[in-house]
Amino acid sequence: MNQEIAAPPNFTVLLSPTPRGARLARLLATEQLRAWNVPLDRATQIVAELAANASTHGRVTGRDFRLTLYVIAGTLRIEVSDTRGDRLPRVQLEEPGAESGRGLLLVEAFADRWGVARGPYPRKTVWAEVKLAPVVPLVPCAQGKPRRNRRTGDAPS
């Protein structure tokens, strides 16, 4: 018999390398992650920083940047690709009073892993991964209100 295999959720969008495009990346990612019931706090901050970097440092007139999100094996992967493969990102030491330069420090703090992949020419992709906590199913209790399963040791919500 034919059985459908569920593909992992994924989302991809091309955006203009402008401050408006970076903001739209964060807003679209927030809505997509909310639809997938993925925790937003760390992921949206990572998207905001990577999209801002793509629109600031990876900007090439007439070429968009790409935001891709997908979940596989309990891990959210965030990828932002631009067409400035000649400019690889690097973590910079904080300079007091500087108005920029902290983006990758934030990505490093919020992501479980991150890195850069080159290609195909002239592109580069900056990626970050966030491990997702397993979802504990709610089970009905005697009063009909859902609560967390006692076998997991989680306290009722």
Side-chain angles (χ1 to χ4, degrees):
M1 300 203 165
N2 288 340
Q3 292 182 348
E4 289 189 35
I5 298 173
N10 61 66
F11 172 81
T12 300
V13 63
L14 291 174
L15 298 157
S16 64
T18 62
R20 185 176 181 176
R23 181 175 184 273
L24 186 55
R26 183 181 50 80
L27 293 172
L28 291 171
T30 298
E31 289 308 309
Q32 188 60 59
L33 295 171
R34 186 173 286 133
W36 291 343
N37 291 319
V38 170
L40 301 175
D41 50 352
R42 296 189 317 160
T44 54
Q45 187 64 45
I46 292 168
V47 169
E49 295 302 333
L50 295 182
N53 283 351
S55 66
T56 303
H57 307 293
R59 182 180 191 155
V60 175
T61 304
R63 295 184 182 171
D64 295 335
F65 74 91
R66 182 181 68 216
L67 167 66
T68 301
L69 308 171
Y70 59 92
V71 177
I72 191 162
T75 300
L76 168 67
R77 182 157 169 125
I78 301 162
E79 297 179 351
V80 175
S81 302
D82 64 49
T83 55
R84 287 298 306 264
D86 59 318
R87 295 186 73 184
L88 297 180
R90 58 179 168 47
V91 176
Q92 298 176 356
L93 297 177
E94 258 187 80
E95 291 186 30
E99 293 183 18
S100 64
R102 295 178 188 86
L104 289 178
L105 288 171
L106 291 171
V107 170
E108 195 169 71
F110 288 121
D112 293 306
R113 291 182 347 132
W114 76 278
V116 181
R118 290 182 184 242
Y121 182 81
R123 291 185 211 107
K124 73 172 174 296
T125 299
V126 183
W127 57 268
E129 294 179 346
V130 177
K131 292 184 192 301
L132 303 175
V135 176
V136 178
L138 296 176
V139 294
C141 65
Q143 293 84 14
K145 295 180 183 176
R147 70 174 185 193
R148 299 236 179 251
N149 190 328
R150 287 182 189 230
R151 288 181 286 153
T152 65
D154 292 337
S157 51

